[in-house]
């Protein structure tokens, strides 16, 4: 109906049994009669069968868009055939007479289906023995309780791949810009290669090599909580092995190995019972 009112629809196909002629006035109505529009027949062409409608319409100067929003004649003619017009049909050219009587009701739109959300991942259960000392002075980071991580903290060589996957997953979700990615790649790569938990734990040569990228990378990693107080967020290290390193008179020394070095637990906080 709206296309008839605004002039986009100017033609239609009707059954030949209506005996219409040029100059006749027909009425277009929406279901229920809420809106009506008078139309004058400007053209009337009898067509022996529905399949010939495109040729007759073209000869009369009527385009497919004058009849329908379908993109092809085949689609439109299938709809016409479903109306089961007996025998011949008429191609009618139409023009509104007067204005619309009543109001066209709004189209009922189907309620969009909600996308099925995946169930949330199960929360890890607290483990009373989540953090403990392991061989070689390495400490296994647990999921509860305090743990302190400094830039000098070492990550176990066999756990670097897991840490790299976790960092990569965060970067994929946050989608840093190209400039930031160019800075993140070398900085994160150097930290993983050296096994250090923070940029200040890198040697002088590495910091000098990365000095143009370090500020950008550190700012992004800190903004997105991958770095906390200059070192890897303890949440990234849960389930991984770490070893604390301290400096004595400018030289790097490791903490004592074994149970005397204390235990680490949790995702944030300090170190308990750490001996040197």
């Amino acid at each position: 109906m709206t296309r008839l009112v605004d002039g986009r629809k100017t033609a239609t196909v009707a059954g030949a049994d209506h005996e219409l002629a040029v100059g006749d006035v027909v009425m277009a109505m929406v279901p229920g009669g809420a809106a009506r529009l008078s139309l004058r027949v400007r053209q009337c062409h009898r067509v022996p069968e529905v399949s010939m409608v495109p040729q007759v319409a073209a000869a009369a100067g009527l385009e497919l868009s004058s009849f329908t929003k379908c993109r092809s004649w085949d689609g439109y003619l299938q709809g016409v055939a479903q109306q089961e017009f007996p025998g011949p049909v008429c191609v009618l050219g139409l023009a509104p007479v007067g204005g619309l009587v009543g109001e066209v009701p709004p189209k009922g739109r189907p309620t969009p289906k909600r996308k099925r959300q995946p169930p949330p991942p199960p929360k890890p259960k607290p483990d009373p023995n989540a953090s403990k000392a392991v061989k070689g002075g390495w400490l296994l980071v647990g999921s509860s309780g305090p743990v302190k991580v400094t830039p000098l903290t070492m990550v176990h060589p066999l756990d670097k791949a897991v840490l790299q996957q976790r960092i990569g997953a965060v970067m994929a979700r946050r989608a840093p810009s190209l400039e930031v990615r160019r800075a993140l790649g070398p900085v994160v790569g150097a930290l993983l290669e050296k096994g250090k938990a923070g940029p200040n734990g890198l040697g002088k040569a590495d910091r000098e090599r990365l000095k143009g990228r370090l500020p950008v990378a550190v700012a992004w990693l800190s903004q997105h909580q991958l770095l906390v107080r200059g070192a890897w967020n303890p949440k990234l290290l849960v389930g991984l092995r770490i070893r604390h390193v301290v400096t004595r008179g400018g030289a790097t020394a490791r903490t004592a190995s074994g149970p005397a070095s204390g235990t680490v637990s949790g995702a944030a906080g300090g170190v308990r019972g750490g001996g040197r």
Side-chain angles (χ1 to χ4, degrees):
M1 180 65 78
T2 55
R3 296 180 72 245
L4 285 168
V5 173
D6 60 25
R8 287 177 294 159
K9 180 178 177 68
T10 59
T12 191
V13 174
D17 56 338
H18 291 303
E19 298 183 357
L20 296 171
V22 174
D24 288 348
V25 175
V26 296
M27 182 76 71
M29 300 174 59
V30 298
R36 304 183 301 279
L37 180 67
S38 298
L39 300 163
R40 188 175 303 280
V41 177
R42 294 293 182 88
Q43 298 184 54
C44 183
H45 307 281
R46 297 188 180 277
V47 183
E49 57 184 39
V50 172
S51 62
M52 298 178 62
V53 168
Q55 295 90 328
V56 173
L62 299 173
E63 300 179 353
L64 175 63
S65 59
S66 302
F67 291 81
T68 178
K69 292 188 291 184
C70 291
R71 297 185 177 182
S72 68
W73 277 109
D74 289 341
Y76 176 61
L77 295 181
Q78 286 178 6
V80 172
Q82 290 175 1
Q83 299 180 39
E84 299 179 356
F85 288 124
V89 295
C90 288
V91 172
L92 302 178
L94 304 169
V97 179
L100 179 69
V101 178
E103 294 185 358
V104 179
K107 289 184 178 180
R109 299 185 181 275
T111 304
K113 293 183 179 179
R114 286 188 177 183
K115 291 184 178 179
R116 190 173 184 179
Q117 299 295 328
K123 293 183 179 180
K125 295 181 179 180
D127 185 350
N129 300 314
S131 304
K132 59 183 179 180
V134 292
K135 292 182 180 180
W138 295 97
L139 301 174
L140 185 65
V141 179
S143 59
S144 60
V147 60
K148 181 180 180 181
V149 182
T150 72
L152 291 173
T153 298
M154 299 290 295
V155 179
H156 196 285
L158 297 181
D159 293 339
K160 293 178 183 178
V162 176
L163 178 57
Q164 183 177 13
Q165 290 175 358
R166 294 176 181 180
I167 296 168
V170 176
M171 291 175 59
R173 290 197 306 269
R174 301 299 184 183
S177 65
L178 177 60
E179 178 184 0
V180 174
R181 291 201 303 272
R182 287 174 176 171
L184 288 171
V187 171
V188 173
L191 290 172
L192 293 171
E193 179 185 357
K194 303 297 183 181
K196 295 299 179 68
N200 289 340
L202 295 172
K204 182 178 179 180
D206 288 322
R207 293 199 303 272
E208 183 67 22
R209 176 173 58 87
L210 298 170
K211 66 180 182 180
R213 296 185 172 99
L214 268 175
V216 176
V218 170
W220 192 92
L221 292 169
S222 300
Q223 177 187 355
H224 295 284
Q225 297 294 302
L226 279 83
L227 287 179
V228 176
R229 293 184 291 276
W232 291 131
N233 189 327
K235 294 180 180 180
L236 287 173
L237 304 175
V238 171
L240 308 185
R241 291 159 288 185
I242 64 172
R243 180 159 56 192
H244 295 305
V245 179
V246 296
T247 57
R248 294 176 179 171
T252 301
R254 294 174 181 169
T255 59
S257 62
S261 61
T263 60
V264 179
S265 61
V271 179
R272 295 188 298 176
R276 295 191 185 184

